[in-house]
Amino acid sequence: MTPETLYIKNMVCNRCIQVVREELNRLGIEVVDIQLGEVKLSQKVNLLQLDQIREVIMDRGFELLEDSNSKIIEQIKTSIIDLIHNPEVVSNQNVSHYLEKKIGKDYSYLSNLFSSVENITIERYLILQKVQKVKELLVYDEMTLSEISYKLNYSSVQYLSGQFRKVTGMSPSEFKKLTTKERLPLDGVTTQ
């Protein structure tokens, strides 16, 4: 039996992983490993099973990726989201090396592909994701801005504040004072 890997768009959190695992188990499909955007199955699925998978995950807000460029783009996005939520993974290496190692492709190729398809650079996407994470942490109000800066590997609080202001048009403290705090779902972050 040959294992198979499926690539799934919009898997952005651990709850997404759980939902996809449950849906595949309900279909009787054995999952060997599951990560953001990627599911390894114990064996290849037939066309009927593939249609069933496509249908059940679509009902849950996901999309089965079958085009190789779409798969790579989704790998980049999920790797960046994973990086934002687990910054210790890459604390001593830069993002380009992290993506090269994680995806197994040259960074210039990844960067050109991402920019041509998404109309945004990988760096800009990373910044937008980080700002969304800063918003989340500010809403929770459990960490100081200094702690948030450290957690997300910013070089300083001032750098975080400047980047936040550039993206949102307000400082983190102004954002905290808002009564309704506008946050985007992680899979909704594209261009701003």
Side-chain angles (χ1 to χ4, degrees), residues 134 138 145 160-161 164 170-177:
V134 171
L138 288 171
L145 200 53
L160 179 155
S161 295
F164 191 90
M170 66 183 86
S171 70
S173 57
E174 290 169 331
F175 176 80
K176 276 185 87 163
K177 291 177 187 173

Side-chain angles (χ1 to χ4, degrees), residues 131-172:
V131 167
Q132 289 305 313
K133 185 64 176 178
V134 171
K135 286 180 180 180
E136 175 187 327
L137 295 171
L138 288 171
V139 167
Y140 294 158
D141 201 26
E142 296 174 349
M143 299 173 80
T144 67
L145 200 53
S146 181
E147 291 169 326
I148 293 171
S149 173
Y150 179 77
K151 177 179 176 69
L152 296 179
N153 291 324
Y154 278 97
S155 58
S156 68
V157 173
Q158 293 77 14
Y159 187 68
L160 179 155
S161 295
Q163 199 171 70
F164 191 90
R165 180 180 292 280
K166 206 180 230 184
V167 170
T168 66
M170 66 183 86
S171 70

Side-chain angles (χ1 to χ4, degrees), residues 18 29 51 60 64 66 71 76 79 101 123-124 131-132 134 141 147 150 154 156-157 168 174 176 178-179 186:
Q18 180 182 349
I29 297 170
D51 286 340
R60 297 303 211 122
L64 189 61
E66 298 176 62
K71 291 175 187 178
I76 293 169
S79 296
K101 185 176 176 186
E123 293 79 10
R124 180 74 176 153
V131 167
Q132 289 305 313
V134 171
D141 201 26
E147 291 169 326
Y150 179 77
Y154 278 97
S156 68
V157 173
T168 66
E174 290 169 331
K176 276 185 87 163
L178 293 176
T179 52
L186 294 178

Side-chain angles (χ1 to χ4, degrees), residues 132 135 182-192:
Q132 289 305 313
K135 286 180 180 180
E182 198 171 306
R183 289 177 44 216
L184 297 171
L186 294 178
D187 61 341
V189 174
T190 52
T191 60
Q192 289 186 348

Side-chain angles (χ1 to χ4, degrees), residues 67-173:
D67 164 84
S68 63
N69 285 344
S70 296
K71 291 175 187 178
I72 293 170
I73 298 294
E74 193 61 21
Q75 284 180 294
I76 293 169
K77 287 181 174 181
T78 56
S79 296
I80 288 173
I81 290 168
D82 192 33
L83 174 65
I84 301 300
H85 289 276
N86 303 300
E88 64 281 353
V89 168
V90 132
S91 60
N92 59 355
Q93 63 178 321
N94 64 33
V95 175
S96 60
H97 289 126
Y98 169 73
L99 290 174
E100 282 181 340
K101 185 176 176 186
K102 183 107 172 157
I103 299 170
K105 304 253 185 228
D106 180 66
Y107 183 75
S108 61
Y109 170 78
L110 297 174
S111 179
N112 290 332
L113 176 65
F114 192 87
S115 296
S116 69
V117 172
E118 295 294 317
N119 295 319
I120 185 175
T121 65
I122 290 174
E123 293 79 10
R124 180 74 176 153
Y125 184 78
L126 174 67
I127 289 167
L128 295 174
Q129 287 291 343
K130 283 178 101 171
V131 167
Q132 289 305 313
K133 185 64 176 178
V134 171
K135 286 180 180 180
E136 175 187 327
L137 295 171
L138 288 171
V139 167
Y140 294 158
D141 201 26
E142 296 174 349
M143 299 173 80
T144 67
L145 200 53
S146 181
E147 291 169 326
I148 293 171
S149 173
Y150 179 77
K151 177 179 176 69
L152 296 179
N153 291 324
Y154 278 97
S155 58
S156 68
V157 173
Q158 293 77 14
Y159 187 68
L160 179 155
S161 295
Q163 199 171 70
F164 191 90
R165 180 180 292 280
K166 206 180 230 184
V167 170
T168 66
M170 66 183 86
S171 70
S173 57

